[in-house]
Amino acid sequence: MTRLKSPTDILPVKLNKGYDMKPNHNLSAWGLESGSSGELVAAGCSTIDLAGRYGTPLHVVHERRLEDTARRFVTTAQAQYAGIVSVHYPFKCNSVPGVIEIIRRAGLKAEVMTQYELELALYLGFENKEIIVNGPCKTEEFIRKSIENRIGLLIVDSLEELVVIRRIADGMRTRPDILLRINPDYVPRGMNYGSATGSRKGCAFGLDLKSGEAGHALRLLQDSPGLGFKGFHFHIGTGIRDARDHADALSCLPLLVEEARRAGQMVQVVDVGGGIAATTTREFTSFEMLRYQALGTLPSRNDGRDEERCFANVTHAISHAVARAFPKGELPELIYEPGRCIASPNQFLLLTINGVKTRAGVGTWLIADGGLSTVTLPTYYEYHEVILANDVNRPLAEKATIIGPACFAGDVIYRNKFLPVIRKGEVIAIMDTGAYFTALESFFGFYQPAVVAVADGQARLIRARESFNGCIRRDVVSQHDTVKESVS
Ligand SMILES: Cc1ncc(COP(=O)(O)O)c(C=O)c1O
């Protein structure tokens, strides 16, 4: 019987002779270049200069590309649909205010799911009507604040929530416009039901279509003059690569529109949520995840797809699926909430390798100054390219494991990644960190990274590195009255 090898048995695999040793990063996929000394260059800025000037870990946002990607999404979606199209950026994806400001310049509105995000949207100058409030766990205070601020749309996640919103709105004599979030019981191709936010078995989100909750909600609304029904909301998962999934999940729409009509309601808005995959990275499939965790086999790279074509395919499929559900001339407003496909490719993370350990017969560990427990959580379930930022053309040499700085065995960025020989003090770039990296950072005793935006050869700081005072500010410590005063 063959004994299954443990991850440590197979850690250091030297490449076979004849393997193409050139790192085959297609830098242009991220709009990057190699500089005169072979270093990674973004918008005319040397990443090594940036790392020296701002320190690492450091997020670098490619400002013009981010704005261009966001604008491309809006114009492509509008070109595919005969009715009104609105695009709302989900703050949860990357809530760095400087990033949101760039995305907003492309004409995107806001989608928020917490009180902080609502306050941030107002602080950044979004008009109240430009804000959609969403989320499966809205507190009464958050609901009240949303209604008080006369936000554009309030999305109802459950029958219980609908009753609470109705009570609060009645007391306030303000009539919020609402969408009903539908759980269509749909699992996108290649996704397990636990990650499919539109699966009734895998996810609690939304009104359960199968058991008739949507019909029940529509009947409740007949008796709710304080609420303005506008239509339906869907969001079926994230990282979805096949345009057919977005369209297939909407196959319940004609029945819903009919049900609304029977309840005396007209559907004026269909919000299809987000979930469109980024073009330069991807989530592990369930099988890849199991294999990686059990055997340490890192899934292979993403091939990279054409952004314009991807946006066109998916918005074409969605536009048709929506239009099919309505009579000619009665098209509803179509809302998108894309996060990942806009933000992910236009940001990367610089980390310094602060130590290299090689253990005979075992392998090589590269110890980076940021890791899974601090700044790279999505590398646990997604494939991200890793580039040696100070020498992008150095040949690949071996499989190594990149770990973070925490004293915690699970602080692994990637196991068994084909890399060049990397030395202490060199800088790596983790690509595609624009979506769900800054949002999922955790402290664990390490200062959270700065974020710079680069454009036209200039860098500007849009988020400062966390400082001691910034961290201690919320704490009350007996011998420091000044701190106590600042939190009282
Ligand atoms: C309701 C809703 N809309 C939009 C998004 C954004 O998804 P993505 O970043 O995959 O586009 C999410 C992500 O969780 C979401 O829950």
Side-chain angles (χ1 to χ4, degrees):
M1 199 173 90
T2 335
R3 192 176 67 86
L4 211 59
K5 286 182 172 175
S6 81
T8 35
D9 286 336
I10 57 171
L11 238 170
V13 181
K14 291 272 178 208
L15 293 179
N16 295 331
K17 276 207 169 81
Y19 184 89
D20 180 5
M21 304 293 271
K22 283 198 290 303
N24 54 351
H25 320 298
N26 177 12
L27 296 183
S28 63
W30 297 279
L32 303 176
E33 302 164 310
S34 151
S36 53
S37 336
E39 81 281 25
L40 187 64
V41 171
C45 296
S46 154
T47 53
I48 300 312
D49 289 351
L50 294 174
R53 185 162 151 206
Y54 297 100
T56 58
L58 177 71
H59 280 281
V60 181
V61 178
H62 207 313
E63 181 162 354
R64 301 254 183 274
R65 273 192 113 241
L66 176 59
E67 190 177 335
D68 286 351
T69 304
R71 186 165 288 112
R72 185 168 300 123
F73 189 94
V74 176
T75 51
T76 311
Q78 285 172 341
Q80 296 291 343
Y81 188 68
I84 296 171
V85 172
S86 302
V87 185
H88 289 245
Y89 171 69
F91 279 25
K92 65 178 86 67
C93 176
N94 183 336
S95 58
V96 174
V99 166
I100 296 173
E101 280 187 318
I102 297 168
I103 291 173
R104 189 176 181 216
R105 293 204 297 252
L108 279 82
K109 302 172 186 175
E111 190 249 9
V112 304
M113 61 150 195
T114 66
Q115 207 160 313
Y116 166 72
E117 290 179 356
L118 172 61
E119 281 164 19
L120 179 61
L122 296 168
Y123 176 77
L124 292 176
F126 282 89
E127 284 176 25
N128 306 40
K129 286 286 163 212
E130 291 181 328
I131 304 170
I132 290 178
V133 172
N134 212 335
C137 184
K138 304 179 199 78
T139 61
E140 292 207 9
E141 190 192 345
F142 182 30
I143 294 170
R144 194 165 289 114
K145 263 219 149 71
S146 304
I147 299 176
E148 205 170 81
N149 278 290
R150 297 171 189 274
I151 51 97
L153 287 165
L154 185 55
I155 302 200
V156 178
D157 192 72
S158 66
L159 287 171
E160 294 70 24
E161 194 180 73
L162 180 57
V163 172
V164 172
I165 292 173
R166 185 169 70 162
R167 172 172 49 78
I168 294 174
D170 282 352
M172 294 173 72
R173 297 207 176 86
T174 304
R175 193 170 190 259
D177 284 336
I178 61 154
L179 298 183
L180 299 177
R181 178 165 180 168
I182 302 297
N183 184 315
D185 195 21
Y186 185 83
V187 180
R189 293 161 174 84
M191 197 181 271
N192 70 17
Y193 66 81
S195 334
T197 48
S199 152
R200 74 188 297 256
K201 185 170 156 197
C203 229
F205 302 152
L207 294 156
D208 180 26
L209 198 58
K210 276 217 169 119
S211 63
E213 285 183 348
H216 195 129
L218 285 163
R219 285 188 294 281
L220 242 167
L221 284 167
Q222 284 180 308
D223 198 21
S224 308
L227 301 179
F229 170 80
K230 289 285 166 190
F232 299 109
H233 173 275
F234 300 82
H235 175 73
I236 57 166
T238 191
I240 300 163
R241 292 160 70 87
D242 193 325
R244 289 174 300 173
D245 284 316
H246 293 279
D248 292 351
L250 293 170
S251 61
C252 57
L253 197 53
L255 280 178
L256 280 167
V257 173
E258 186 44 42
E259 195 152 9
R261 194 164 285 147
R262 280 204 303 274
Q265 305 283 5
M266 204 178 147
V267 176
Q268 298 166 57
V269 176
V270 175
D271 180 339
V272 295
I276 301 155
T279 50
T280 44
T281 184
R282 66 181 185 86
E283 294 210 329
F284 300 156
T285 63
S286 310
F287 174 72
E288 284 173 340
M289 182 59 148
L290 287 172
R291 199 167 57 147
Y292 180 45
Q293 292 308 325
L295 302 172
T297 310
L298 183 63
S300 60
R301 53 181 287 146
N302 185 44
D303 293 333
R305 294 165 305 136
D306 179 72
E307 189 171 273
E308 188 139 16
R309 192 164 333 126
C310 284
F311 288 175
N313 283 346
V314 74
T315 55
H316 176 81
I318 289 173
S319 298
H320 275 256
V322 172
R324 260 199 308 271
F326 293 86
K328 267 213 168 88
E330 282 183 32
L331 284 184
E333 176 181 351
L334 172 55
I335 295 181
Y336 289 93
E337 301 169 359
R340 175 184 294 282
C341 65
I342 288 174
S344 177
N346 297 308
Q347 184 170 324
F348 57 89
L349 174 67
L350 297 175
L351 299 175
T352 301
I353 300 300
N354 275 341
V356 178
K357 274 196 177 175
T358 303
R359 219 166 254 170
V362 183
T364 299
W365 286 269
L366 306 171
I367 308 167
D369 59 359
L372 195 71
S373 16
T374 52
V375 293
T376 69
L377 188 61
T379 61
Y380 183 71
Y381 51 84
E382 293 172 0
Y383 181 87
H384 290 259
E385 200 53 71
V386 176
I387 296 175
L388 180 59
N390 49 285
D391 187 359
V392 297
N393 298 314
R394 191 178 298 168
L396 297 172
E398 62 178 357
K399 281 186 174 179
T401 290
I402 314 169
I403 61 173
C407 190
F408 164 51
D411 192 18
V412 174
I413 300 177
Y414 282 125
R415 287 185 202 286
N416 298 328
K417 180 111 183 82
F418 278 127
L419 289 167
V421 169
I422 296 181
R423 293 180 280 269
K424 178 175 160 66
E426 295 193 299
V427 177
I428 58 171
I430 310 283
M431 303 311 297
D432 280 275
T433 61
Y436 306 104
F437 275 73
T438 46
L440 293 173
E441 276 168 10
S442 58
F443 176 55
F444 214 38
F446 295 90
Y447 294 134
Q448 292 176 353
V451 183
V452 291
V454 292
D456 308 324
Q458 304 288 327
R460 74 188 167 92
L461 190 65
I462 57 172
R463 169 174 280 180
R465 181 171 309 285
E466 211 168 30
S467 62
F468 178 76
N469 284 341
C471 290
I472 203 77
R473 207 178 38 216
R474 294 186 300 139
D475 296 295
V476 179
V477 186
S478 55
Q479 58 274 54
H480 290 284
D481 286 348
T482 48
V483 175
K484 246 197 244 171
E485 280 156 20
S486 76
V487 293
S488 63

